[in-house]
Amino acid sequence: LFRSTVFDLKTLQVTGSLPTGKKPDAIVYDDATRRVFANNGGSASSTVIDAADWKVLGTIALGGGPESSVADGKGFVFTNLEDNSEIVKIDAKAMKVVARWKLAPCEAPSSLGIDRPARRLFAGCRNHLMAMIDADDGRVVQTAAIGDHVDATAFDAETKMIYFSNGD
């Protein structure tokens, strides 16, 4: 049985746990819907949790192995699918995939960041490339070289800098 653990932010004490799909990995909180999305790498899905009452609302089939996710603050969650070299756009309220975008020439995206005001996604891909993607139409706007074995991406809104955590 696979589960996500809930913590009290003030005490850091475990307050509960919830069932997820196989091999839960990254999670993201969508502030527009107050929902948590837990990516299940072993079952190619995302478990949707109501953050207010800790109830599992459902599971979204993603059609590939999810890695990282980001929320845009407008009710959409973006998740990269490492095995398909895609990003899916999820309607957080409807709990369904509404778009599926290929990331070529990037392959095996394993990290994801977002610039919310500019509506740009930043995917770190295992073939030593990052892709900047338009969050509205899924178009790959630009690519650039990055290091080996990328695993995390962060965007700093103040400095407008993108950071990739690489194994090298």
Side-chain angles (χ1 to χ4, degrees), residues 29-102:
Y29 175 74
D30 174 49
D31 42 337
T33 59
R34 299 189 62 193
R35 294 177 175 175
V36 174
F37 292 74
N39 290 340
N40 307 309
S43 56
S45 65
S46 185
T47 300
V48 184
I49 300 164
D50 185 310
D53 63 12
W54 305 359
K55 292 206 181 342
V56 173
L57 300 175
T59 301
I60 304 168
L62 300 176
E67 271 294 316
S68 295
S69 292
V70 293
D72 70 355
K74 297 177 184 274
F76 292 99
V77 171
F78 301 88
T79 300
N80 56 11
L81 304 180
E82 189 172 29
D83 53 350
N84 295 349
S85 297
E86 294 178 325
I87 288 184
V88 292
K89 181 178 182 180
I90 300 167
D91 180 320
K93 185 172 181 166
M95 298 189 319
K96 69 178 187 175
V97 174
V98 294
R100 183 176 302 276
W101 303 320
K102 290 290 187 185

Side-chain angles (χ1 to χ4, degrees), residues 137-162:
D137 65 17
R139 164 177 60 89
V140 175
V141 176
Q142 186 173 351
T143 61
I146 59 171
D148 188 38
H149 202 79
V150 63
D151 196 47
T153 300
F155 175 76
D156 183 331
E158 188 175 316
T159 64
K160 305 285 187 212
M161 299 289 289
I162 310 158

Side-chain angles (χ1 to χ4, degrees), residues 7 12 63 132 142:
F7 292 87
L12 298 181
M132 179 176 23
Q142 186 173 351

Side-chain angles (χ1 to χ4, degrees), residues 5-19:
T5 304
V6 181
F7 292 87
D8 180 303
L9 288 177
K10 292 180 183 163
T11 65
L12 298 181
Q13 297 299 307
V14 174
T15 57
S17 68
L18 299 162

